[in-house]
Amino acid sequence: MAASEYSLRRALVEKQSSIESQGNAVRALKASNAVKADVDEAIEKLNALKLEKSSIEKQLQAAVSGNPDSSVNKEAFRQAVVNTLERRLFFIPSFKIYRGVAGLYDYGPPGCAVKSNVLAFWRQHFVLEENMLEVDCPCVTPEVVLKASGHVDKFTDLMVKDEKTGTCYRADHLLKDFCNEKIQKDLSISAEKAAELKHVLAVLDDLSAEELGAKIKEYGITAPDTKNPLSDPYPFNLMFQTSIGPSGLSPGYMRPETAQGIFVNFKDLYYYNGNKLPFAAAQIGQAFRNEISPRQGLLRVREFTLAEIEHFVDPEDKSHPKYSEVADLEFLMFPREQQVSGQSAKKICLGEAVSKGIVNNETLGYFIGRVYLFLTHLGIDKDRLRFRQHLANEMAHYAADCWDAEIESSYGWIECVGIADRSAYDLRAHTDKSGVPLVAHEKFSEPKEVEELVIAPVKKELGLSFKGNQKKVVEALEAMNEKEALDMKSSLETKGEVEFYVCTLGENVTIKKSMVSISKEKKKEHQRTFTPSVIEPSFGIGRIIYCLYEHSFYMRSSKAGDEQQNVFRFPPLVAPIKCTVFPLVQNQQYEDVAKIISKSLTAAGISHKIDITGTSIGKRYARTDELGVPFAITVDSTSSVTIRERDSKDQIRVNVEEAASVVKSVTDGHTTWADAWANFPHHSGSVED
């Protein structure tokens, strides 16, 4: 906890104690019928202490939230954003006329356009830049695949139930909400208690079911709606189950991620890539998670779009040829040591983080840098973007390192991209389950001589001694590691027999010298066979888009100052419509010019809209600003037109023939609005508002 907050909480406790003492003194004076002057002086002192307490409370509230009214402001801001998004049909609750279903949303026309633009830029920034192999796999996945990957057994969240109504809640959400509420709104808690609650928030993802349940009981947390007691936390699998085929005998699931489709196709993709590493495969598609209690709008939904990359690399060489392009980037990073010790994220140079081992390897660091560039180019505020390292228990047991790109919104810090080094876990798991080796090969320029351990069970001898258990004994012998085998060889040579534990039988058996041959043989190898490691950046597209909406939204006063106008400051890259075309007044000649410009914009591939309504030009500007349209062409003559930029409201005048090319040049990023402002005559529009 920050020193200022700690000292303020201590000061508040002391001030409250002084107020109680002074209150007792006032009551004592009144009870003893003291002279009025003494009573008045004591009351004045009490009131002064209360004013001092109020001042400390305001300072503490500001220290806790950054703004005394920040929670109110955030709620009001969020409501303004969501109201605008729903009213302008960026998104709406699915099945709205039937009262909807929690966690399901439809994208309307502008929302579809923003999503399409984000995905197009994702393909350009990652797939094209890295020559990735893009695939498209089914959403329905056989159970055997997700059993091998661990999802059937482990893809769970901890859930608690209202013991009387049976309503379900996510246990970690209840604890998180309780801690935040106490810290931000209960200023009477001690500095020590506030520090404890902040520590719980820092290690929340690290808590086991038992620890989570203990905290819920310790803090007296009950069901939010009914205040009824809650059950102990227990795991709930988040996958939607289905069956494949009419018999119902082939179980399956709606995929919870797109990655498994890439892993099971590794052998064919490796061959397609000329049997060369490293290479990356990518997939964009729908994923499904049966969320316990969906909330936070587009941030936690049951069906969503994922864009995932699986970068396959030699586990002995995780360098990256283009790492130097991102090594000098500096941005907010939040390593696990800072999280556990209660510190804040700090700006760190990516190259320094990799060289110090904070980030595990160059390839992981390279993708962290590329993700930073992708998000900031979209329009995410770089000062409200951080990369948080997973805590020890939060990270999968097989992962070498994992970082989340988190974006700050009105809901707090939201995980939008996960960048993980998953080691070789997935390919090994599918190799073991399917029996198909998902491996890569490194050919040596010259053959290498290696010593290889050879364990050769004599099946005839083992069969005579162990009969029906022969197979289990053979498998146990062949599964010995090098040390166990050499120890057995030494004992057999000196004693002639040895006791050997067979785990599948659950007992020791006697192995004689005649039953097994153990030796080390020299042979020449022409290639090395290994299972590649995987670096996986996984993008929650809906979450990124919602955070982009919040980061792009602002309100400005109309020229008359009598109303607030909503604006989305989308970069042209993601804006749903790049340009609007307005005839200034309803005039056939102006409308004909607008149609000519529209054809030019269409030919240039610029999304646009013509508005020939009789509404005032100011209202038409305001209407398109609310959709985030960056440029508006106004036809006010037959030879030249004005182009208005959304945020500055500045206008330039260009010839009709040049209008489309100027807009295309700026929206494609070949030039900037500043260039256009410098190169064309300025226009001052008196009818702007």
Side-chain angles (χ1 to χ4, degrees):
M1 186 164 62
S4 59
E5 184 186 339
Y6 185 87
S7 60
L8 285 167
R9 287 193 184 275
R10 293 297 296 268
L12 190 60
V13 170
E14 291 168 7
K15 196 62 65 179
Q16 182 61 39
S17 177
S18 299
I19 288 171
E20 288 172 5
S21 298
Q22 188 61 25
N24 291 334
V26 170
R27 283 187 287 275
L29 286 169
K30 287 181 176 179
S32 64
N33 294 319
V35 296
K36 186 175 183 300
D38 290 345
V39 174
D40 289 346
E41 184 183 346
I43 291 173
E44 190 177 335
K45 188 175 180 183
L46 177 62
N47 289 335
L49 288 170
K50 287 180 178 178
L51 283 173
E52 289 170 14
K53 179 194 171 191
S54 177
S55 173
I56 295 171
E57 283 176 337
K58 285 181 180 175
Q59 292 177 60
L60 178 56
Q61 186 68 64
V64 167
S65 57
N67 183 320
D69 301 312
S70 70
S71 60
V72 177
N73 289 345
K74 283 179 181 177
E75 181 65 37
F77 171 77
R78 182 192 311 139
Q79 204 56 54
V81 174
V82 171
N83 286 346
T84 307
L85 291 171
E86 290 197 16
R87 181 166 47 79
R88 299 311 304 266
L89 227 60
F90 281 85
F91 74 91
I92 51 173
S94 300
F95 318 112
K96 190 175 177 181
I97 63 171
Y98 292 100
R99 298 189 178 180
V101 177
L104 297 176
Y105 290 92
D106 297 337
Y107 284 80
C112 282
V114 170
K115 181 179 176 182
S116 177
N117 292 337
V118 168
L119 291 176
F121 181 56
W122 188 87
R123 279 193 171 96
Q124 177 192 329
H125 188 80
F126 291 105
V127 178
L128 295 182
E129 179 73 24
E130 310 297 330
N131 292 313
M132 294 178 181
L133 311 180
E134 188 171 355
V135 299
D136 188 357
C137 306
C139 295
V140 178
T141 307
E143 183 182 53
V144 64
V145 174
L146 295 167
K147 185 77 174 171
S149 66
H151 285 85
V152 172
D153 299 319
K154 297 177 182 176
F155 194 69
T156 58
D157 276 337
L158 292 171
M159 181 167 78
V160 290
K161 275 187 180 180
D162 182 317
E163 290 190 342
K164 293 184 179 177
T165 68
T167 304
C168 300
Y169 304 94
R170 256 187 71 166
D172 59 335
H173 284 174
L174 293 182
L175 182 55
K176 181 180 181 179
D177 291 345
F178 172 84
C179 293
N180 280 326
E181 184 86 6
K182 292 293 280 184
I183 291 168
Q184 293 173 16
K185 295 186 178 177
D186 187 354
L187 302 181
S188 65
I189 59 173
S190 68
E192 290 74 19
K193 188 67 177 178
E196 176 197 321
L197 294 173
K198 290 204 170 188
H199 178 70
V200 170
L201 287 172
V203 299
L204 187 61
D205 292 324
D206 219 13
L207 298 179
S208 65
E210 293 74 21
E211 290 168 329
L212 204 52
K215 285 292 177 191
I216 287 172
K217 281 189 171 64
E218 179 187 341
Y219 296 146
I221 298 172
T222 55
D225 303 319
T226 63
K227 307 305 176 191
N228 291 331
L230 296 165
S231 69
D232 290 331
Y234 62 95
F236 169 76
N237 195 294
L238 300 176
M239 290 193 295
F240 285 101
Q241 191 165 12
T242 185
S243 57
I244 303 169
S247 68
L249 299 177
S250 180
Y253 294 91
M254 302 302 288
R255 65 183 179 191
E257 62 177 29
T258 62
Q260 300 308 318
I262 296 174
F263 293 136
V264 298
N265 283 313
F266 171 78
K267 186 177 180 181
D268 293 325
L269 292 169
Y270 180 56
Y271 173 77
Y272 182 87
N273 200 54
N275 294 328
K276 291 178 182 176
L277 281 184
F279 77 89
Q283 181 169 193
I284 297 170
Q286 297 303 97
F288 307 82
R289 296 182 186 179
N290 194 11
E291 290 287 348
I292 295 165
S293 48
R295 57 184 192 169
Q296 300 179 335
L298 291 180
L299 297 180
R300 191 167 294 282
V301 292
R302 290 183 164 125
E303 180 181 351
F304 50 94
T305 302
L306 280 180
E308 294 191 297
I309 296 164
E310 309 303 328
H311 180 90
F312 299 101
V313 63
D314 186 335
E316 294 181 7
D317 180 14
K318 292 183 180 178
S319 61
H320 196 286
K322 292 161 72 176
Y323 168 68
S324 60
E325 294 178 13
V326 299
D328 293 333
L329 290 174
E330 187 176 84
F331 44 79
L332 285 172
M333 299 190 78
F334 202 10
R336 64 173 66 97
E337 287 75 16
Q338 272 88 327
Q339 296 173 56
V340 174
S341 60
Q343 299 177 51
S344 301
K346 294 177 183 173
K347 282 196 173 181
I348 300 175
C349 175
L350 182 58
E352 181 186 339
V354 173
S355 64
K356 288 184 175 179
I358 298 170
V359 173
N360 186 269
N361 57 75
E362 272 191 15
T363 298
L364 186 64
Y366 175 73
F367 278 107
I368 289 173
R370 291 290 293 168
V371 169
Y372 170 80
L373 292 173
F374 170 73
L375 293 173
T376 51
H377 274 94
L378 282 182
I380 297 298
D381 182 352
K382 66 179 185 299
D383 294 323
R384 298 168 67 196
L385 167 66
R386 72 183 185 190
F387 288 80
R388 185 185 70 82
Q389 189 175 31
H390 278 206
L391 299 172
N393 194 48
E394 184 185 0
M395 197 161 63
H397 65 278
Y398 51 79
D401 196 6
C402 187
W403 293 75
D404 287 340
E406 295 184 333
I407 302 172
E408 189 181 26
S409 74
S410 62
Y411 292 105
W413 288 97
I414 303 299
E415 171 205 342
C416 293
V417 187
I419 310 122
D421 182 338
R422 296 172 66 110
S423 66
Y425 171 80
D426 300 280
L427 293 182
R428 283 190 180 133
H430 288 300
T431 295
D432 293 343
K433 192 73 175 177
S434 68
V436 177
L438 303 178
V439 295
H441 308 281
E442 179 195 7
K443 291 188 176 178
F444 301 139
S445 53
E446 300 223 351
K448 290 184 180 180
E449 192 174 78
V450 295
E451 267 196 334
E452 187 179 64
L453 178 70
V454 179
I455 301 172
V458 181
K459 293 183 179 178
K460 183 180 177 183
E461 292 289 329
L462 291 167
L464 290 171
S465 295
F466 301 110
K467 298 187 170 47
N469 291 327
Q470 177 211 40
K471 185 180 178 185
K472 291 181 179 178
V473 177
V474 169
E475 287 174 348
L477 288 168
E478 290 177 338
M480 286 190 295
N481 61 38
E482 186 169 327
K483 184 180 182 307
E484 290 171 328
L486 294 178
D487 287 346
M488 177 179 280
K489 176 180 171 68
S490 175
S491 296
L492 290 174
E493 286 174 353
T494 54
K495 300 176 186 174
E497 63 180 41
V498 65
E499 289 294 300
F500 178 60
Y501 181 72
V502 180
C503 62
T504 49
L505 293 175
E507 61 182 39
N508 284 319
V509 298
T510 302
I511 300 296
K512 296 181 180 177
K513 191 174 183 180
S514 60
M515 295 178 179
V516 63
S517 167
I518 300 171
S519 61
K520 292 194 85 172
E521 296 179 0
K522 288 186 178 179
K523 69 172 190 175
K524 288 189 175 180
E525 283 190 348
H526 296 270
Q527 66 178 13
R528 163 179 159 249
T529 301
F530 62 93
T531 305
S533 281
V534 177
I535 310 294
E536 180 195 70
S538 176
F539 299 74
I541 298 301
R543 289 186 170 194
I544 293 170
I545 289 172
Y546 178 76
C547 291
L548 175 62
Y549 288 151
E550 282 205 5
H551 286 210
S552 302
F553 184 82
Y554 69 100
M555 300 176 82
R556 65 183 174 205
S557 298
S558 63
K559 191 171 184 180
D562 56 349
E563 62 178 317
Q564 291 289 302
Q565 296 175 343
N566 302 326
V567 185
F568 282 107
R569 60 163 77 85
F570 296 130
L573 179 71
V574 296
I577 301 169
K578 312 299 183 194
C579 180
T580 47
V581 184
F582 300 142
L584 182 62
V585 292
Q586 286 186 318
N587 173 302
Q588 190 58 50
Q589 285 183 309
Y590 290 178
E591 288 178 19
D592 290 343
V593 171
K595 288 174 183 176
I596 291 169
I597 293 172
S598 174
K599 283 186 178 180
S600 301
L601 290 168
T602 300
I606 300 294
S607 61
H608 64 283
K609 184 178 180 182
I610 296 184
D611 187 343
I612 57 173
T613 61
T615 313
S616 75
I617 194 71
K619 286 184 178 176
R620 281 184 278 174
Y621 283 150
R623 201 157 57 202
T624 55
D625 288 348
E626 199 172 50
L627 280 173
V629 181
F631 303 105
I633 298 173
T634 302
V635 181
D636 58 359
S637 85
T638 55
S639 58
S640 68
V641 296
T642 67
I643 301 178
R644 170 191 181 265
E645 195 272 333
R646 177 196 59 221
D647 297 310
S648 65
K649 299 198 283 187
D650 289 337
Q651 297 183 53
I652 58 173
R653 182 164 289 282
V654 302
N655 293 330
V656 169
E657 297 77 17
E658 294 178 290
S661 61
V662 170
V663 171
K664 180 172 176 59
S665 180
V666 178
T667 54
D668 286 355
H670 299 312
T671 59
T672 65
W673 177 252
D675 296 328
W677 184 250
N679 293 329
F680 291 94
H682 302 171
H683 174 81
S684 125
S686 58
V687 293
E688 161 71 13
D689 290 285

